[in-house]
Amino acid sequence: KKGQSKIFNNRFLENRDAIDVDLAEAKIYQNIILDSLDDGIDVGTAGPVEIFENVIQNSGDKALSIGEGSNVIVTSNYIAKNNFGLAIKDGSQAKIAGNFLFKNKIAVSVYEKVDCQATRSLGEMISGESFSGDNQVPLKIRGNEMSASVKGLTLHPKSQKQMLAMALKKFSKCEMCLSALKQNQVKQ
């Protein structure tokens, strides 16, 4: 309970949930997560959690699942070909910036899966800007009570070529991520 961890420079392939963080603080960065059967990264009742410079692709459910009142900062991730790119739910707060969301069924989804406790605030559930291209649904908000919870979210449309070029610049500090993107080990 309330542990602190750093998870970095790993390759996860065909796991149920590649990374699962509960009741902890964490920094998750410079990982390659491919073909997860369920979620790439699952965060519940945790925070602060920083998730940055990861490549997450082909997750069976969510690339990033943020729930149960978590407090998360999500920056500079390449998130492609997942059922959901980012799912923010259950009173969680997420600040997102500079992410690349490409060919996901739903790029960003905001909803309540379980009833939130009255003490949880939905005032600023998600904010920031990222880049989006060729997602079936760029943004999905379920439930009228959620409409006030999304403030300042911007998804800038970009082509796959533009996003890949931008991602290569963003990932300049992650040799493994650069190599995967350049050599097409990450399925485009």
Side-chain angles (χ1 to χ4, degrees):
K1 187 172 182 180
K2 281 297 176 193
Q4 296 179 345
S5 60
K6 288 184 182 179
I7 303 166
F8 64 97
N9 208 22
N10 297 287
R11 180 182 287 268
F12 298 91
L13 181 62
E14 297 178 358
N15 294 281
R16 171 87 32 220
D17 285 348
I19 300 171
D20 197 329
V21 178
D22 294 305
L23 301 168
E25 298 176 9
K27 287 187 179 184
I28 302 167
Y29 58 99
Q30 298 180 351
N31 298 288
I32 296 175
I33 301 169
L34 302 175
D35 304 318
S36 293
L37 302 175
D38 195 21
D39 299 332
I41 300 174
D42 188 345
V43 179
T45 318
V49 176
E50 295 178 53
I51 301 170
F52 59 96
E53 295 179 1
N54 297 286
V55 175
I56 308 169
Q57 196 159 307
N58 294 321
S59 297
D61 194 14
K62 302 167 198 80
L64 289 169
S65 178
I66 302 165
E68 301 173 44
S70 295
N71 182 346
V72 180
I73 298 172
V74 181
T75 57
S76 301
N77 295 284
Y78 188 85
I79 300 167
K81 296 184 179 180
N82 303 282
N83 193 30
F84 291 84
L86 295 167
I88 299 101
K89 57 192 187 289
D90 305 332
S92 296
Q93 294 186 10
K95 293 188 180 175
I96 66 171
N99 296 288
F100 303 93
L101 298 146
F102 186 72
K103 285 195 175 181
N104 299 287
K105 288 183 183 169
I106 299 173
V108 178
S109 183
V110 181
Y111 61 98
E112 287 296 316
K113 185 175 179 181
V114 297
D115 290 334
C116 275
Q117 299 170 4
T119 56
R120 289 188 181 155
S121 168
L122 293 177
E124 188 170 291
M125 180 175 274
I126 180 171
S127 64
E129 60 182 62
S130 288
F131 306 98
S132 175
D134 205 16
N135 297 290
Q136 289 180 19
V137 179
L139 175 63
K140 181 177 182 178
I141 302 171
R142 187 170 61 203
N144 293 334
E145 74 281 1
M146 301 305 294
S147 60
S149 302
V150 178
K151 295 183 179 179
L153 173 66
T154 306
L155 295 175
H156 299 285
K158 299 286 181 192
S159 70
Q160 178 180 3
K161 185 176 180 180
Q162 289 172 313
M163 282 201 297
L164 187 56
M166 293 168 70
L168 288 171
K169 288 180 185 176
K170 284 274 188 184
F171 285 91
S172 63
K173 295 178 186 171
C174 177
E175 295 283 333
M176 184 172 63
C177 300
L178 277 174
S179 177
L181 289 171
K182 285 180 181 176
Q183 295 176 15
N184 264 342
Q185 292 173 358
V186 176
K187 303 168 200 145
Q188 298 298 321

